[in-house]
Amino acid sequence: AEFVVKRHDVVLVLDRLCSSQTVGLQTKEEFRRKREELERKEALLAELKEKEERDGQAQKRLEAKKRRAEKVKKNVLSFGDDDEEEEEESFVPKKAKTTNGDSVLKKMKNPNVDTSFLPDEGRKDEELKQREQLMKEWHNEQEQKKKQSLEVTYSFWDGSGHRRMIHVSRGMSIGQFLQKARDQLAPDFREIRNVGPENLMYIKEDLILPHEYTFHWFIEHKARGKSGPLFKFDVSDDIRMNFDATKETTDSHPGKIVERHWYERNKHIFPASRWEVYDPEKKWDKYTIKG
């Protein structure tokens, strides 16, 4: 007959045995012998309990396998992991094959079920190729834009403005632009003939543009200056000469080229007192003309 040995039953039996067999006066040897006998009985009961637990677990696994086998017979589609699918297939009779040799499990998969959420290495590879192709196309597009010609109107500033116009490529850096502008100005302004581009500054919309940036960068990022956009290089009248301060304008104003030592001498005087180095992290939500 089946029986279940529980831990509290073991403890109760041992307590009763210990109480009944150690009542009265006994020698130390008798007590030790009876106690050893009780411990052997405890080990035996524990072993019986462990065996019963193993048998119970085995019975549960057997019942689970039977349930899975019944699901297979009923053509229930399962999206379990590979191990579960292997266990399910192990319960399909060896002769349960289709005429073309496919297993019953493979045959009964529903082709109309959406499996797009399941891992698919092939789909991942295809998506990766598409991203790489898009990145390549974007890069090629940017390179073509950098080659486009750009007309830049600027003013050489030495306390008063001397306006000039020059053509550059969008991909040209500010440092390269200053070199080209210096070559254009040198015949008319003797003082800058021996000045290198590193000692020239380009100020656009009251911001000093670093030499390493390109025109393309400012255009693509729609960069904003203190008094106007940094991505437009066409010309309107100076903002301080003809401007309604109550309305924001997208008009661009001629950038200024100045010698660095001139700036150091006059940076406390307007308009140089407004100038500051361009910082891409600093946002200018509204254009201003003073302060």
Side-chain angles (χ1 to χ4, degrees):
E2 295 183 357
F3 63 94
V4 177
V5 181
K6 298 182 179 179
R7 182 173 180 79
H8 72 273
D9 294 334
V10 173
V11 175
L12 181 61
V13 170
L14 290 174
D15 287 343
R16 289 178 178 175
L17 286 173
C18 184
S19 299
S20 62
Q21 295 184 18
T22 58
V23 174
L25 297 176
Q26 302 180 53
T27 64
K28 182 178 180 179
E29 182 63 23
E30 290 176 340
F31 183 88
R32 183 184 63 77
R33 186 174 62 255
K34 290 181 179 180
R35 188 63 188 176
E36 290 178 352
E37 183 179 354
L38 290 175
E39 289 176 352
R40 284 195 297 273
K41 291 180 179 179
E42 180 183 8
L44 177 61
L45 290 173
E47 183 179 350
L48 291 174
K49 179 175 180 296
E50 183 179 353
K51 180 177 182 302
E52 193 279 332
E53 289 177 349
R54 288 198 303 269
D55 292 341
Q57 293 175 356
Q59 181 65 26
K60 289 179 180 180
R61 287 195 296 270
L62 181 60
E63 291 175 356
K65 290 181 179 179
K66 288 180 179 180
R67 287 195 298 270
R68 287 196 292 270
E70 291 175 357
K71 288 182 180 180
V72 172
K73 293 178 181 179
K74 293 178 180 179
N75 294 338
V76 177
L77 181 62
S78 173
F79 290 100
D81 57 26
D82 294 338
D83 292 337
E84 291 178 347
E85 290 181 2
E86 290 176 358
E87 289 180 6
E88 290 177 359
E89 289 179 357
S90 65
F91 287 96
V92 178
K94 293 183 179 180
K95 294 183 179 180
K97 301 287 184 177
T98 61
T99 56
N100 61 359
D102 292 336
S103 66
V104 173
L105 284 175
K106 183 176 181 181
K107 186 68 176 178
M108 68 186 183
K109 289 182 179 179
N110 187 347
N112 297 321
V113 174
D114 180 16
T115 61
S116 60
F117 62 91
L118 295 174
D120 188 331
E121 292 299 326
R123 185 166 62 242
K124 288 182 179 179
D125 292 341
E126 183 62 27
E127 291 175 352
L128 180 60
K129 290 180 181 179
Q130 290 179 357
R131 285 196 296 269
E132 291 176 347
Q133 180 62 28
L134 290 174
M135 182 61 70
K136 184 178 180 180
E137 292 176 359
W138 179 86
H139 179 74
N140 291 337
E141 180 183 353
Q142 296 302 304
E143 291 302 313
Q144 292 300 318
K145 287 182 177 180
K146 290 178 183 179
K147 296 177 181 178
Q148 294 176 4
S149 179
L150 184 68
E151 182 180 291
V152 178
T153 301
Y154 68 93
S155 177
F156 175 59
W157 188 265
D158 57 2
S160 60
H162 308 279
R163 186 172 294 190
R164 297 287 189 276
M165 187 272 291
I166 194 170
H167 284 90
V168 300
S169 65
R170 279 182 49 155
M172 181 175 286
S173 70
I174 300 302
Q176 292 170 332
F177 158 70
L178 289 172
Q179 174 69 54
K180 190 171 183 178
R182 192 211 66 169
D183 294 342
Q184 185 185 52
L185 292 168
D188 300 322
F189 299 93
R190 185 177 301 176
E191 62 271 26
I192 69 168
R193 291 177 183 174
N194 296 321
V195 177
E198 67 277 4
N199 290 315
L200 294 175
M201 300 168 60
Y202 181 50
I203 294 85
K204 184 82 166 78
E205 309 301 349
D206 291 320
L207 293 180
I208 302 169
L209 304 189
H211 287 197
E212 64 272 16
Y213 281 82
T214 65
F215 290 100
H216 177 76
W217 193 94
F218 291 110
I219 295 171
E220 287 296 304
H221 288 81
K222 300 293 183 182
R224 293 168 62 95
K226 295 176 72 174
S227 55
L230 295 176
F231 54 87
K232 295 183 67 177
F233 297 91
D234 52 351
V235 177
S236 66
D237 293 333
D238 194 297
I239 193 171
R240 300 174 187 86
M241 301 298 180
N242 183 16
F243 180 67
D244 182 356
T246 63
K247 298 179 181 179
E248 178 172 295
T249 177
T250 58
D251 292 338
S252 178
H253 312 98
K256 295 178 175 63
I257 293 180
V258 302
E259 293 183 71
R260 191 175 298 276
H261 75 271
W262 183 95
Y263 169 72
E264 294 297 336
R265 291 199 313 267
N266 297 278
K267 61 184 178 183
H268 62 289
I269 303 172
F270 184 86
S273 59
R274 268 180 57 86
W275 301 346
E276 60 181 276
V277 177
Y278 172 73
D279 180 358
E281 299 299 324
K282 191 171 184 178
K283 306 302 180 184
W284 303 97
D285 295 327
K286 293 183 178 179
Y287 297 143
T288 60
I289 60 174
K290 61 181 179 179

